[in-house]
Amino acid sequence: MNAKDVPHQGSFRSSLYLFIILMIIWLVLTNSLKTEELLSGLIISLLLTHFLSANYRELGLPRLRLKRAANFIAYVFVLLSEIIKANFDVAYRVLHPKMPIRPGIIIIKTSLKQDIAKVILANSITLTPGTFTLDIKDDALLIHWINVKSEEEGEAAKRISERFEKYLKVVFE
Amino acid sequence: MEFFGMVITGIGVLFLLLGNFGILRLPDVYNRIQAGTKCTTFGTFFTIVGIGFLEPEWLWKCILIALFVLITNPISSHAIARASVKIGVPLCDKSVVDKTKEFEEKEEA
Amino acid sequence: MSTIMIIYLGMIAGGILLSFIRMLVGPTASDRAVAVDTITTTIVGMLVILAFVFQRYVYLDVALVYSLLAFVGLCAIARFLERGF
């Protein structure tokens, strides 16, 4: 949203990110380091960056800083441990003969501003134990919880989203 | 290395089976999506990375496929879940709370 | 080695069968869509195991394209469910 107000800020940076990502994907896909392969990959990546970078500029990706990178790596590790917990949780509920579920749909509020940060938060919530994002509207998230422990907004947010939000806030602000 | 890859692939396959079992067993759409998304994402990720360990030349490509599944699978499930909320698929009898209406009203305010 | 792989493939086939029953039974259209979603993701895992069993590198490309097409197709199905054509 903010990037639209100042259209040229950070356009080179996001183009560079996009170019590096496309080049890495090309290298992995072709799986060789011949000159022809590298050259055609370079041309294709440049062309794609030229045509697609307008879309990526709107995301408003932040400047790369050591603090942000460190927080992002910490966030990835938290996410991985939550994914593993989530799977044992689901396995327990599916295999238990009485099926101990107490499902419900609740709303929680988030303090994140950027769209990209909200998308990452919603996807993380989907992969963590017992919760699933159904819809986002401004700062409210509609969440399906397989084992409702609290119907009140603040209490639920503390249990579900706080552990990710504190990392994402540093990364994107 | 081979034993390690075998074990990881085995864990992945086991969770794929559990996810599919959850799809059959759980009572309503939303619970099924939960089991489906979590277990299949984790299961596919581990299966593919395990094969990558068994065949080290393929490792990078396997990681690329695994990351791709990890990113796209929650999004496609989310699209289906949002569609089910919009068309009003009912919750099961065991449900304790439903704030969907409250959320819909927020839009007009 | 290959015996274990055959057991794994059998387990995955059993899982697909379970989801397939849900796809046939499922009371609403969303249930069927969710079952299809799960089946496609499971098949991606299966294709990678098959690539290892037959030692064909090409199957990995097949798995990648398959997962891509499944993603696009499911988004189209979700859109159709949401508002019709």
Side-chain angles (χ1 to χ4, degrees):
Chain A
M1 287 296 124
N2 292 330
K4 258 184 188 168
D5 303 331
V6 262
H8 293 296
Q9 194 200 6
S11 68
F12 175 72
R13 195 172 63 232
S14 46
S15 302
L16 191 70
Y17 288 168
L18 183 61
F19 176 73
I20 291 172
I21 291 171
L22 286 173
M23 203 62 211
I24 290 173
I25 292 176
W26 176 271
L27 284 179
V28 173
L29 280 179
T30 53
N31 206 6
S32 75
L33 282 172
K34 281 181 202 152
T35 325
E36 310 91 82
E37 299 268 18
L38 279 178
L39 211 62
S40 49
L42 206 69
I43 292 166
I44 290 171
S45 301
L46 277 174
L47 276 176
L48 278 175
T49 310
H50 179 70
F51 287 119
L52 295 176
S53 62
N55 300 335
Y56 284 82
R57 220 170 290 157
E58 282 174 22
L59 289 178
L61 291 176
R63 229 168 260 280
L64 192 63
R65 291 271 179 279
L66 191 65
K67 198 175 150 203
R68 286 195 174 124
N71 264 277
F72 191 73
I73 291 168
Y75 162 78
V76 168
F77 276 103
V78 172
L79 183 64
L80 280 180
S81 73
E82 292 293 330
I83 289 176
I84 292 170
K85 257 193 259 169
N87 277 278
F88 283 105
D89 184 66
V90 171
Y92 166 70
R93 285 181 209 290
V94 169
L95 290 177
H96 197 284
K98 281 180 195 159
M99 254 201 291
I101 57 172
R102 201 164 164 273
I105 294 183
I106 56 161
I107 298 173
I108 66 167
K109 290 262 198 291
T110 172
S111 54
L112 296 171
K113 298 286 187 301
Q114 284 94 340
D115 287 351
I116 175 90
K118 279 187 220 162
V119 170
I120 293 179
L121 179 69
N123 266 6
S124 317
I125 287 174
T126 298
L127 289 173
T128 51
T131 51
F132 187 91
T133 316
L134 296 171
D135 209 344
I136 306 182
K137 206 172 277 172
D138 294 334
D139 64 340
L141 281 87
L142 189 66
I143 283 179
H144 179 263
W145 202 350
I146 206 167
N147 190 18
V148 177
K149 293 194 183 107
S150 151
E151 296 176 18
E152 196 258 324
E153 273 179 22
E155 178 70 24
K158 201 176 278 175
R159 281 175 184 275
I160 296 172
S161 66
E162 211 178 51
R163 56 195 166 200
F164 299 122
E165 245 177 55
K166 67 180 178 208
Y167 293 110
L168 288 178
K169 219 176 235 171
V170 179
V171 174
F172 286 101
E173 275 167 25
Chain B
M1 199 66 171
E2 264 181 18
F3 178 74
F4 188 59
M6 277 291 183
V7 170
I8 288 187
T9 313
I11 293 172
V13 168
L14 192 68
F15 276 101
L16 277 179
L17 184 62
L18 277 176
N20 284 296
F21 186 57
I23 290 278
L24 187 65
R25 186 155 187 241
L26 289 169
D28 73 351
V29 183
Y30 308 106
N31 292 319
R32 281 177 202 141
I33 293 175
Q34 293 239 7
T37 311
K38 291 191 181 95
C39 285
T40 52
T41 309
F42 179 82
T44 320
F45 190 85
F46 265 58
T47 309
I48 295 172
V49 173
I51 293 293
F53 280 127
L54 284 176
E55 200 76 28
E57 281 177 20
W58 298 0
L59 185 61
W60 288 107
K61 195 156 210 175
C62 287
I63 288 175
L64 185 72
I65 299 173
L67 282 180
F68 191 76
V69 170
L70 190 69
I71 293 168
T72 57
N73 203 18
I75 296 176
S76 62
S77 314
H78 167 76
I80 295 170
R82 187 162 178 269
S84 339
V85 172
K86 285 273 162 74
I87 58 176
V89 177
L91 276 85
C92 69
D93 307 332
K94 279 185 182 176
S95 308
V96 286
V97 50
D98 184 3
K99 291 196 178 173
T100 318
K101 285 217 177 66
E102 206 177 297
F103 192 77
E104 297 290 330
E105 281 158 14
K106 221 168 232 176
E107 191 174 31
E108 287 146 26
Chain C
M1 188 97 148
S2 60
T3 326
I4 299 175
M5 281 299 156
I6 286 169
I7 293 171
Y8 287 171
L9 284 174
M11 280 164 80
I12 288 183
I16 290 175
L17 199 66
L18 293 176
S19 280
F20 197 76
I21 295 171
R22 172 54 65 197
M23 195 184 84
L24 293 178
V25 172
T28 64
S30 302
D31 283 301
R32 293 173 214 268
V34 172
V36 172
D37 182 18
T38 314
I39 290 175
T40 49
T41 318
T42 314
I43 284 177
V44 173
M46 195 179 194
L47 278 172
V48 175
I49 294 184
L50 282 176
F52 177 70
V53 172
F54 295 134
Q55 290 292 315
R56 296 274 162 82
Y57 184 70
V58 192
Y59 281 24
L60 292 184
D61 295 300
V62 176
L64 190 65
V65 174
Y66 188 86
S67 68
L68 212 145
L69 287 178
F71 173 62
V72 175
L74 277 158
C75 286
I77 290 174
R79 237 181 135 77
F80 167 67
L81 284 177
E82 202 171 318
R83 52 184 97 144
F85 272 119

